[in-house]
């Protein structure tokens, strides 16, 4: 299937960033339609579309919207998770910089559907440009009467604020994001069934809808064209509907964001990105650094869809798709990934705090030539001791890539341990490999 | 929400194939205790909100499906955060659970320095215990362990060993949830996460000692106790703290007849399990060189070491010749037995009724003004609490924790009126910061605002007290349909103390809260002395009159038991004159005080750890202390010396054991009948209040008092 540009249709158009340019292309029609509809009808439209969370977990969006109390007793909050921190993912960045009104319109629709009072856009601390763009767009939306008091004469009030994070991957986890937004340390909070869902008691213990930037950006299209139309996109897959933006990076000729319909294959995605650069395909991390790695064969057979990717051995995740060529050392790659998670673990729970650091130490020792054969078994055990035992998903996300690589590329680890240097070598590898690099024995 | 109210309050779940019924919402970690099981924990603490940080309590959880099958959840669940629900199936001891526990312990131990042989916690360490039962026997960790400061001084009292910390967050949560001073927080993240104070300032808290006890490893240690003993070399006995009137229960850990440390002992009715730093770190006087351990008698300008027989001889001659011109004053650390026997000695042998235990400036006659109606534990459930007059965190720290708990757990409205900034302000519904001396005016204004009559004009009061009109109305609004009063007898030290306390009483009556009027004692056994009526009868003299009579030379002999008038009285000039002038002065104390220089006879008394007896705390709870370490030198329990004097002077058989004294007390004071020693194990016994008639409003002058301008 070719690229299906829906959300990114106008992302190259500088005028689209302003409210005028956005409305010229049909912007805010979805919101106007929603405001003329019954609140429940909006949720039903989202339900019909089959939209699932684009942040990584793929939770059906309408269930969250529908979970907000219908008879209002407390303020309702609409929260946008724009803390895009997953290595390899940069789709929200483009959406916020180039199509900020799309996300804002989606949030206002969500606000209308759930009787929201205030929307917060929690933007990753490093994304200053995004924050500027979103802030400007919010100001414009206020001016145009899409935010503020008595929106479009409906008598409904809705405010929106931008909040910049302070540089923590963990704050992209929805409950940690809420902690951080409330001014607490960015640590995850208890989740269902240990505590009520955010839709019941989220931000300041009030009903809260929290979705990803891309998820909100889908809402205007669903409202304009109808949920049923949206559901025709990706109909070839089991249960994934619509389009998904993949941030393609790695050894490809044209890295960047590509929006595809579910049911497209990874091979087609690679084709869109101009194919491999500097060597043949060795591996692919399809959904951001936390999903299990695929080898070339698995990659070429994989169909993009929430269930289909699981069958292929990985996950859609957040859509940070990294293609790696034959000169990539998997051990070094996984060590670098493990280092990221060790540095980003918030420290709340034992398995993640201690396990991620331990894995990094072992992998670091291996890559410096000090590996022992028993380290492979030990790493697998540590992964199983973290996976599912940690407080939030960060522990799982740290364990999956290591466990996945050990399963798919065991020979690379064994070779590295046995010989003290990587199975791949040559000028391309040596150019890419981080210091210290152990001298290859020729 | 209406549906939730109709749901049954208990649920039925299955734990390890045993079906049990538990209250809805009870945490699994608590539910398993009902069938005699235990889930290992580190971060969970039953008095704090669960967080699920350490993951030690992972259990397998599933749900019974309508078709009878059980669907297990894919991931193990933390038992400390999971509320029990119907159809829940929990397994606490499967192969998988055992593996998970081993995994968590392995993680905790990889960076834990195995310096157990020199660690204070060794032998009483939850990490050691859990490792024995659930942990791996060897390590697979070959990397370099984390190295961090080993003896970081958080404060004068608490030293932090960062390498031993397992980041359970108990200490951080204690300062946030229990003590409320929020002194500790985590710095950094991931494996480098460490508890610390903000900006590395001193850990300043009235309750810092508790974090040492709740730390599940040896990370938080007592600076004083550090490396001084091994827990298994210590002997421990239950005791009571005498630092204030709360009567907190403690464990007295000692070695070779000297105190090593104090720990909190659980008494749900009194201190739950907490101690304040005064109680935990303030007991060093027991081993102090200033302890009074021998009998001294005066010889001209000098006090020379003597013996009890000589002292008794001099005392009996002096007091007998003084006749009714003798008096006795006691302080807050004398036990019920001491006080009763001293009273007997004076009334029966010396024929004197000049007895008092009160040291405040005002000494109102009305017993009703001294009422205490609310128990410590009841404060937890009071919806509106009025904290008046003094910094309650300073005067009754543990009662302060209860009142804070009422706010933290039950959203109680706490109105705080204090002339200075105090801890209770942090959670106050309304803070009334009045100018010193304007207490009565403020109360008059609240009275007017709450009832629309009486008291004083609000606008006028606002300008006098410096408290905004709105704040007065807001406080009165919260209080007008009833409140519990928490005030202490130190208010009687004000020059218009009687009016202030009267105004408080009037306010409670006006708000239908006279059954929640509390004017608390401030010292350990002040309430006991009141209940034993160690006070002048009609013809006797009270504290001030006694001191004045001594100063004028009218009073011939004075007995000071466990008190130092120079520190207790507001009028040092009078005290000095009285002590200088009185012909014969007996000072009986466990420690030397400033008034020793005036003494004719010095009698050594036992400290609380050396004697048998009972103390009555502010809620009239009689609690027993037992002798833990041997008396020092010639010291003896004061009640024993009084018995011996009575034998000498009147031939009465002396009581040989403290419980005999209690029987005598019970015989003459009926309310003590329930407090015989057999009943005092456990939580102690609350004796009934004096039968008083319906409290009546009293005439009060709602006027401000002149305060010297140099008063801050």
């Amino acid at each position: 299937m070719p690229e299906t540009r829906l959300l990114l249709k106008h992302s190259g158009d500088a005028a689209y960033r302003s409210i005028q340019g956005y409305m010229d292309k049909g912007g805010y029609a979805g919101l106007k339609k929603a405001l003329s509809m019954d609140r429940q009808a909006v949720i039903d439209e989202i339900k019909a579309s089959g939209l699932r969370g684009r942040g990584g977990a793929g939770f059906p969006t309408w269930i969250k919207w529908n979970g907000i109390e219908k008879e209002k007793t407390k303020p309702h909050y609409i929260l946008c998770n724009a803390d895009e921190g997953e290595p390899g993912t940069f789709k929200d960045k483009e959406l916020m910089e180039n199509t900020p009104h799309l996300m804002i319109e989606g949030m206002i629709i969500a606000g209308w559907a759930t009787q929201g009072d205030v929307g917060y856009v929690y933007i990753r601390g490093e994304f200053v440009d995004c924050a500027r763009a979103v802030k400007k767009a919010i100001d414009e939306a206020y001016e145009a009467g899409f935010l503020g008091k008595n929106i479009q004469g409906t008598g409904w009030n809705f405010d929106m604020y931008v909040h910049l994070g302070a540089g923590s991957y963990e704050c992209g986890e929805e409950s940690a994001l809420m902690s951080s937004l409330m001014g607490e340390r960015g640590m995850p909070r208890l989740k269902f069934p240990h505590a009520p869902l955010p839709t019941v008691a989220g931000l300041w213990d009030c009903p809260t809808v929290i979705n990803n930037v891309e998820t909100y950006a889908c809402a205007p299209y669903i409202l304009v064209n109808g949920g049923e139309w949206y559901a025709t996109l990706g109909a070839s897959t089991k249960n994934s509907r619509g389009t998904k933006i993949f941030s393609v990076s790695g050894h490809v000729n044209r890295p960047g964001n590509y929006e595809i319909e579910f049911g497209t294959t990874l091979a087609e995605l690679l084709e869109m990105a101009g194919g491999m650069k500097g060597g043949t395909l060795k591996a692919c991390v399809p959904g951001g650094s936390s999903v299990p790695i695929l080898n070339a064969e698995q990659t070429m057979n994989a169909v993009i869809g929430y269930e289909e990717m699981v069958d292929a051995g990985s996950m859609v995740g957040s859509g940070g798709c990294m293609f790696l060529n034959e000169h990539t050392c998997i051990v070094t790659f996984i060590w670098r990934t493990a280092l990221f998670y060790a540095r980003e673990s918030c420290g709340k729970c034992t398995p993640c705090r201690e396990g991620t650091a331990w894995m990094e130490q072992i992998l670091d020792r291996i890559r410096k030539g000090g590996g022992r054969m028993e380290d492979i078994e030990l790493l697998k055990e540590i992964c199983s001791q973290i996976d599912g035992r940690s407080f939030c998903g960060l522990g799982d996300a740290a364990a999956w890539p290591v466990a996945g690589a050990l399963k798919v590329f065991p020979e690379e680890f064994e070779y590295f341990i046995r010989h003290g240097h990587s199975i791949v070598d040559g000028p391309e590898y040596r150019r890419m490999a981080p210091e210290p690099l152990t001298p290859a024995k020729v | 929400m209406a549906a939730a109210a109709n749901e049954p309050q208990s649920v039925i779940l299955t734990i390890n194939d045993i079906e049990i019924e538990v209250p809805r919402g009870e945490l699994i970690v608590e539910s398993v205790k009902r069938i005699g099981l235990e889930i290992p924990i580190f971060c969970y603490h039953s008095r704090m909100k669960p967080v699920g940080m350490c993951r030690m309590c992972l259990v397998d959880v599933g749900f019974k499906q309508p078709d009878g099958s059980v669907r297990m959840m894919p991931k193990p669940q933390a038992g400390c955060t999971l509320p029990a629900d119907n159809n829940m199936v929990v397994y606490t001891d499967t192969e998988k659970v055992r593996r998970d526990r081993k995994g968590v312990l392995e993680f905790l131990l990889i960076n834990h320095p195995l310096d157990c042989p020199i660690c204070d916690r060794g032998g009483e360490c939850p990490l050691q215990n859990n490792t024995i039962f659930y942990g791996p026997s060897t390590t697979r960790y070959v990397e370099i362990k984390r190295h961090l400061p080993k003896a970081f001084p958080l404060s004068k009292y608490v030293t932090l060993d960062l390498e031993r910390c397992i980041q359970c967050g108990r200490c951080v949560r204690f300062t946030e949830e229990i003590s409320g001073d929020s002194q500790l927080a985590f710095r950094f993240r991931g494996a480098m996460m460490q508890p610390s104070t903000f900006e590395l300032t001193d850990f300043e808290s009235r309750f810092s000692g508790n974090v040492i006890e709740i730390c599940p490893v040896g990370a938080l240690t007592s600076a004083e106790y550090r490396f001084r003993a091994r827990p298994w070399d210590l002997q421990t006995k239950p005791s009571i703290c005498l630092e204030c009137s709360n009567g907190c229960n403690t464990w007295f850990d000692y070695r070779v007849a000297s105190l090593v440390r104090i720990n909190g002992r659980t008494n749900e009715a009194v201190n739950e399990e907490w101690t304040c730093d005064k109680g935990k770190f303030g007991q060093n006087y027991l081993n102090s060189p200033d302890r009074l351990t021998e009998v001294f008698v005066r010889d001209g300008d000098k006090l020379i070491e003597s013996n009890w027989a000589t002292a008794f001889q001099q005392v009996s001659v002096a007091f007998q010749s003084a006749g009714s011109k003798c008096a006795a004053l006691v302080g807050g650390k004398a036990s019920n037995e001491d006080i009763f026997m001293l009273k007997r000695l004076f009334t029966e042998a010396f024929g004197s009724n000049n007895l008092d235990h009160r040291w405040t400036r005002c000494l109102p006659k009305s017993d009703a003004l001294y009422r205490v109606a609310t128990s410590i534990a009841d404060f937890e459930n009071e919806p509106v609490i009025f904290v008046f007059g003094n910094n309650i965190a300073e005067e009754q720290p543990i009662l302060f924790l209860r009142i804070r708990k009422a706010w933290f757990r039950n959203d109680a409205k706490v109105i705080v009126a204090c002339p200075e900034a105090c801890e209770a302000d942090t959670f106050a519904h309304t803070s009334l910061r009045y100018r010193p001396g304007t207490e009565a005016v403020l109360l008059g204004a609240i009275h007017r605002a709450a009832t629309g009559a009486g008291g004083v004009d609000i606008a006028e009061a606002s300008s006098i007290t410096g408290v905004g009109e709105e704040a007065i109305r807001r406080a009165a609004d919260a209080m007008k349909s009833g409140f519990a009063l928490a005030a202490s007898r130190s208010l009687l030290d004000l020059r218009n103390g009687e009016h202030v306390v009267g105004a408080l009483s009037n306010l409670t009556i006006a708000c239908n809260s006279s059954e929640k009027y509390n004017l608390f004692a401030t010292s350990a056994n002040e309430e006991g002395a009141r209940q034993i009526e160690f006070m002048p009868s009609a013809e006797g003299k009270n504290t001030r009159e006694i001191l004045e009579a001594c100063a004028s030379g009218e009073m011939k002999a004075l007995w000071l038991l466990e008190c130092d008038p120079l520190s207790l009285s507001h009028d040092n000039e009078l005290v000095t004159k009285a002590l200088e002038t009185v012909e014969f002065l007996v000072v009986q104390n466990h420690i030397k005080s400033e008034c020793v220089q005036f003494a004719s006879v010095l009698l050594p008394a036992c400290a609380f750890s050396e004697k048998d007896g009972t103390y009555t705390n502010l809620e009239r709870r009689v609690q027993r202390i037992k002798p833990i370490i041997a008396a020092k030198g010639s010291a003896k329990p004061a009640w024993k010396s009084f018995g011996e004097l009575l034998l000498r002077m009147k031939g009465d058989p002396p009581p040989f054991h403290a419980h005999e004294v209690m029987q005598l007390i019970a015989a003459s004071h009926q309310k003590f009948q329930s407090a015989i020693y057999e009943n005092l194990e456990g939580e102690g016994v609350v004796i009934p209040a004096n039968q008083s008639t319906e409290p009546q409003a009293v005439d009060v002058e709602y006027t401000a008092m002149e305060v010297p301008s140099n008063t801050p």
Side-chain angles (χ1 to χ4, degrees), chain B residues 8-13 18-23 26 31 34 86:
Chain B
Q9 290 309 297
S10 65
V11 295
I12 294 172
L13 76 160
I18 301 169
E19 207 162 84
I20 57 164
E21 193 174 340
V22 304
E26 184 178 75
S31 297
R34 292 172 187 270
N86 278 318

Side-chain angles (χ1 to χ4, degrees), chain A residues 3-4 7 25 43 80 82 85 101 136 145 217 233 259 266 275 285-286 294-295 325 337 339 354-355 368 418-419 441:
Chain A
E3 200 185 351
T4 313
L7 308 185
K25 297 282 190 300
I43 296 173
C80 178
H101 283 287
K136 180 171 159 280
L233 297 165
E259 188 172 6
L266 271 182
V285 182
L294 299 175
N295 63 23
N325 73 12
T337 308
L339 177 63
E354 302 293 343
K368 285 174 179 163
R418 196 160 283 137
H419 297 88
K441 289 175 197 144

Side-chain angles (χ1 to χ4, degrees), chain A residues 125-207:
Chain A
E126 293 87 341
F127 284 1
V128 180
D129 289 342
C130 293
R132 286 209 181 96
V134 173
K135 181 73 182 64
K136 180 171 159 280
I138 289 174
D139 291 344
E140 288 173 344
Y142 266 105
E143 206 139 297
F146 295 118
L147 281 172
K149 302 265 179 269
N150 190 17
I151 293 167
Q152 302 291 306
T154 54
W156 171 61
N157 307 329
F158 189 67
D159 288 303
M160 196 177 288
Y161 302 98
V162 169
H163 182 94
L164 268 180
S168 163
Y169 172 73
E170 175 58 12
C171 288
E173 199 275 349
E174 66 173 26
S175 64
L177 185 149
M178 288 191 273
S179 298
S180 172
L181 191 60
M182 288 187 281
E184 296 169 15
R185 186 183 158 91
M187 278 192 178
R189 304 162 83 80
L190 290 176
K191 286 198 254 320
F192 191 79
H194 303 262
L197 290 165
T199 51
V200 177
L203 212 52
W204 290 292
D205 269 348
C206 294

Side-chain angles (χ1 to χ4, degrees), chain B residues 140-199:
Chain B
R140 297 182 286 181
Y141 190 73
V142 296
E143 325 303 328
I144 294 168
K145 287 199 180 210
R146 197 156 59 217
H147 285 299
L148 293 164
K150 289 287 285 177
F152 186 82
L154 277 182
S155 73
K156 212 171 116 193
Y157 302 110
V158 185
T159 305
L160 173 61
D161 185 322
L162 274 167
E163 288 189 348
R164 292 183 192 149
C165 176
I166 59 167
Q167 289 89 4
C168 70
R170 275 186 174 194
C171 53
V172 174
R173 286 181 290 142
F174 175 85
T175 68
E176 283 172 4
E177 295 179 25
I178 308 291
S179 68
D181 41 46
S182 295
Q183 287 277 300
L184 298 179
F186 281 120
R187 302 169 81 205
F188 310 125
R189 68 184 178 210
M192 291 307 286
M193 184 170 86
Q194 41 190 265
S196 93
T197 51
F198 293 96
E199 302 285 325

Side-chain angles (χ1 to χ4, degrees), chain B residues 361 544 547-548 565-566 568-576:
Chain B
R361 192 190 294 256
R544 178 150 196 102
L547 290 172
E548 278 165 356
L566 287 163
L568 289 168
S569 172
H570 60 281
D571 192 347
N572 266 1
E573 215 171 299
L574 174 65
V575 170
T576 313

